[in-house]
Amino acid sequence: MKTGLCSVTFRGLDVPQVAQLASQAGLQAIEWGGDIHVPPGDERRASFARDTCDERGLKCPSYGSYFVLGETDERQIAPTLATAKALGADVIRVWAGPKGKGSTAYNDDDFERLAQATRRFAQAAGDSGLVVATEFHRGRFADNSDAVLKLIDRVRHPALRTYWQWECAIPVGQAKAQIAALRPHIAHLHVFNWTADGTRLPLSDARSDWLALLSELGEGKDGMTAYLEFIPQDDQDQLDEETKTLAAIAMSSSDQYALRNQQK
């Protein structure tokens, strides 16, 4: 498993500054966001971000596009794919439906429209040799594992995957069950530690919990990147410590998984 940084963690910095921070902290990858750093359709900026990462030994496994399935004009699919290609990314992250509309708010017609929009994007992505992955997030359709699996089952396209992140307000056992259900479909992870009211805490405070969660991924995590998304107070000085914690969790989770297999 690689360790990485979501560029949205430092929206106020430019591309070279974000890459410098990630490299100095010892991270291996950056997910560039389409909101500020690499807008969809701007292949020049995407190529610049890729070149900047290459110079610092960083990878760009995925593109955080902010494309909203069923809402964003589908004429933006092609520019979004081209931007991901220019970045050298294999995965495009998208939102599953509009903000504020969770899975329980969807009737059958709503769901079918979302599924058709998802299929069209997945088909275009697959034709370009890319994968599209829905953001796992409250307040959208993909707000729980059952909803994600329902969408994947309805779309039935090999280019459709999902992200996963821990909504820290839910118990670790419930989060582990989500991972177990979604394991074959998870592309990458967003990692952070915050309370139910949104207070950001050091990742080290949840080290044992995140270790248990990453251990649940099994062998599949070898192709994933765990991206730091939020850090306390957006403080650049905290990045080194957060990175050390994440790297230690990723390594220990591999050791735990190997040990479990030996004991079987």
Side-chain angles (χ1 to χ4, degrees):
M1 175 180 282
K2 291 184 176 66
T3 58
L5 176 72
C6 291
S7 72
V8 299
T9 309
F10 300 115
R11 284 188 169 97
L13 302 182
D14 61 22
V15 166
Q17 290 171 323
V18 173
Q20 180 178 2
L21 279 176
S23 176
Q24 289 177 342
L27 292 164
Q28 299 164 291
I30 296 179
E31 180 180 272
W32 293 105
D35 56 342
I36 292 178
H37 292 110
V38 182
D42 196 333
E43 294 176 51
R44 182 188 63 81
R45 289 178 67 175
S47 295
F48 174 67
R50 179 179 184 173
D51 291 344
T52 302
C53 283
D54 284 346
E55 291 170 2
R56 293 190 170 275
L58 297 165
K59 301 296 184 182
C60 302
S62 55
Y63 174 44
S65 74
Y66 288 82
F67 188 101
V68 182
L69 296 169
E71 181 176 271
T72 301
D73 188 334
E74 293 191 0
R75 288 175 292 185
Q76 291 299 308
I77 292 178
T80 300
L81 297 177
T83 304
K85 284 279 195 179
L87 269 176
D90 299 315
V91 177
I92 301 172
R93 175 170 56 82
V94 298
W95 291 104
K99 183 179 181 179
K101 188 172 182 178
S103 58
T104 58
Y106 279 70
N107 59 33
D108 289 345
D109 290 340
D110 292 337
F111 173 70
E112 187 59 28
R113 282 191 291 271
L114 177 62
Q116 293 301 327
T118 305
R119 182 178 291 110
R120 289 190 290 271
F121 200 118
Q123 182 65 58
D127 290 346
S128 297
L130 300 171
V131 166
V132 58
T134 55
E135 174 88 349
F136 189 87
H137 202 283
R138 59 186 172 186
R140 307 276 182 164
F141 180 79
D143 58 7
N144 67 79
S145 53
D146 288 343
V148 172
L149 291 173
K150 180 180 179 181
L151 184 61
I152 288 174
D153 184 65
R154 182 69 185 92
V155 173
R156 289 189 178 277
H157 195 286
L160 178 60
R161 304 283 296 282
T162 185
Y163 275 61
W164 186 82
Q165 64 187 36
W166 180 25
E167 296 287 357
C168 301
I170 70 171
V172 175
Q174 186 177 338
K176 289 176 68 174
Q178 289 178 346
I179 291 176
L182 295 173
R183 188 185 295 120
H185 309 290
I186 297 174
H188 299 297
L189 308 168
H190 285 168
V191 178
F192 49 87
N193 180 30
W194 56 5
T195 63
D197 66 0
T199 301
R200 300 180 185 183
L201 302 172
L203 186 60
S204 57
D205 289 359
R207 176 170 176 160
S208 61
D209 291 337
W210 269 106
L211 176 56
L213 294 172
L214 294 193
S215 298
E216 195 68 33
L217 289 165
E219 293 178 346
K221 67 177 178 296
D222 292 342
M224 298 177 190
T225 300
Y227 292 104
L228 290 169
E229 188 174 21
F230 303 114
I231 60 177
Q233 291 81 50
D234 295 327
D235 186 354
Q236 298 175 32
D237 293 335
Q238 295 292 317
L239 184 59
D240 285 352
E241 192 61 35
E242 295 289 280
T243 297
K244 289 176 184 177
T245 301
L246 178 60
I249 292 170
M251 183 173 293
S252 296
S253 67
S254 296
D255 293 342
Q256 280 199 5
Y257 176 74
L259 179 61
R260 286 207 307 266
N261 277 353
Q262 291 174 2
Q263 293 173 343
K264 287 181 179 178

Short mmCIF file of all heavy atoms in Angstrom, two decimals, residues 11 59 83 96 111 148 178 199 210 245 247-248:
data_model
loop_
_atom_site.label_atom_id
_atom_site.label_comp_id
_atom_site.label_asym_id
_atom_site.label_seq_id
_atom_site.Cartn_x
_atom_site.Cartn_y
_atom_site.Cartn_z
N ARG A 11 -5.37 23.52 0.13
CA ARG A 11 -5.95 24.25 -1.02
C ARG A 11 -5.26 25.60 -1.26
O ARG A 11 -5.26 26.12 -2.38
CB ARG A 11 -7.45 24.47 -0.81
CG ARG A 11 -8.31 23.25 -1.05
CD ARG A 11 -9.79 23.62 -1.01
NE ARG A 11 -10.63 22.53 -1.50
CZ ARG A 11 -11.24 21.66 -0.71
NH1 ARG A 11 -11.09 21.74 0.61
NH2 ARG A 11 -12.00 20.71 -1.23
N LYS A 59 4.02 9.65 -7.25
CA LYS A 59 3.07 9.09 -8.21
C LYS A 59 1.76 9.87 -8.16
O LYS A 59 1.46 10.55 -7.18
CB LYS A 59 2.82 7.61 -7.92
CG LYS A 59 4.07 6.73 -7.96
CD LYS A 59 4.68 6.71 -9.34
CE LYS A 59 5.86 5.75 -9.40
NZ LYS A 59 6.51 5.75 -10.74
N THR A 83 -7.97 14.83 -18.63
CA THR A 83 -7.16 15.40 -17.54
C THR A 83 -6.52 14.29 -16.72
O THR A 83 -5.34 14.37 -16.35
CB THR A 83 -8.04 16.29 -16.65
OG1 THR A 83 -8.64 17.30 -17.45
CG2 THR A 83 -7.21 16.95 -15.56
N ALA A 96 -21.23 10.41 -6.08
CA ALA A 96 -22.42 9.65 -6.46
C ALA A 96 -23.67 10.45 -6.11
O ALA A 96 -24.21 10.34 -5.01
CB ALA A 96 -22.44 8.29 -5.76
N PHE A 111 -32.91 6.33 -8.40
CA PHE A 111 -31.79 5.39 -8.42
C PHE A 111 -31.46 4.96 -9.84
O PHE A 111 -30.29 4.87 -10.22
CB PHE A 111 -32.12 4.16 -7.57
CG PHE A 111 -31.08 3.07 -7.70
CD1 PHE A 111 -29.81 3.23 -7.16
CD2 PHE A 111 -31.36 1.89 -8.37
CE1 PHE A 111 -28.84 2.25 -7.29
CE2 PHE A 111 -30.40 0.90 -8.51
CZ PHE A 111 -29.15 1.09 -7.96
N VAL A 148 -23.59 1.31 -1.97
CA VAL A 148 -22.52 1.18 -2.97
C VAL A 148 -22.66 -0.13 -3.73
O VAL A 148 -22.55 -0.17 -4.96
CB VAL A 148 -21.15 1.27 -2.29
CG1 VAL A 148 -20.04 0.95 -3.28
CG2 VAL A 148 -20.93 2.65 -1.70
N GLN A 178 -18.07 -2.70 6.87
CA GLN A 178 -18.14 -2.00 5.59
C GLN A 178 -16.99 -2.45 4.68
O GLN A 178 -17.19 -2.73 3.50
CB GLN A 178 -18.06 -0.50 5.81
CG GLN A 178 -19.30 0.13 6.44
CD GLN A 178 -19.13 1.62 6.67
OE1 GLN A 178 -18.03 2.15 6.59
NE2 GLN A 178 -20.23 2.31 6.94
N THR A 199 -14.40 17.80 14.71
CA THR A 199 -13.12 18.24 15.27
C THR A 199 -12.00 17.33 14.76
O THR A 199 -12.09 16.11 14.88
CB THR A 199 -13.16 18.20 16.81
OG1 THR A 199 -14.21 19.04 17.28
CG2 THR A 199 -11.83 18.66 17.38
N TRP A 210 -7.30 2.45 13.20
CA TRP A 210 -6.96 2.43 11.78
C TRP A 210 -6.14 1.18 11.43
O TRP A 210 -6.26 0.63 10.33
CB TRP A 210 -6.21 3.69 11.37
CG TRP A 210 -7.13 4.78 10.90
CD1 TRP A 210 -7.47 5.92 11.57
CD2 TRP A 210 -7.84 4.82 9.66
NE1 TRP A 210 -8.35 6.67 10.82
CE2 TRP A 210 -8.59 6.02 9.64
CE3 TRP A 210 -7.91 3.96 8.57
CZ2 TRP A 210 -9.40 6.37 8.57
CZ3 TRP A 210 -8.73 4.32 7.49
CH2 TRP A 210 -9.46 5.50 7.49
N THR A 245 2.80 8.34 11.13
CA THR A 245 1.76 7.48 11.70
C THR A 245 1.12 6.62 10.63
O THR A 245 0.93 5.41 10.80
CB THR A 245 0.69 8.33 12.41
OG1 THR A 245 1.30 9.10 13.45
CG2 THR A 245 -0.39 7.44 13.01
N ALA A 247 2.31 5.72 7.69
CA ALA A 247 3.26 4.72 7.18
C ALA A 247 3.39 3.55 8.14
O ALA A 247 3.45 2.38 7.72
CB ALA A 247 4.62 5.37 6.93
N ALA A 248 3.42 3.86 9.43
CA ALA A 248 3.55 2.80 10.44
C ALA A 248 2.30 1.93 10.46
O ALA A 248 2.38 0.69 10.59
CB ALA A 248 3.79 3.41 11.81
#
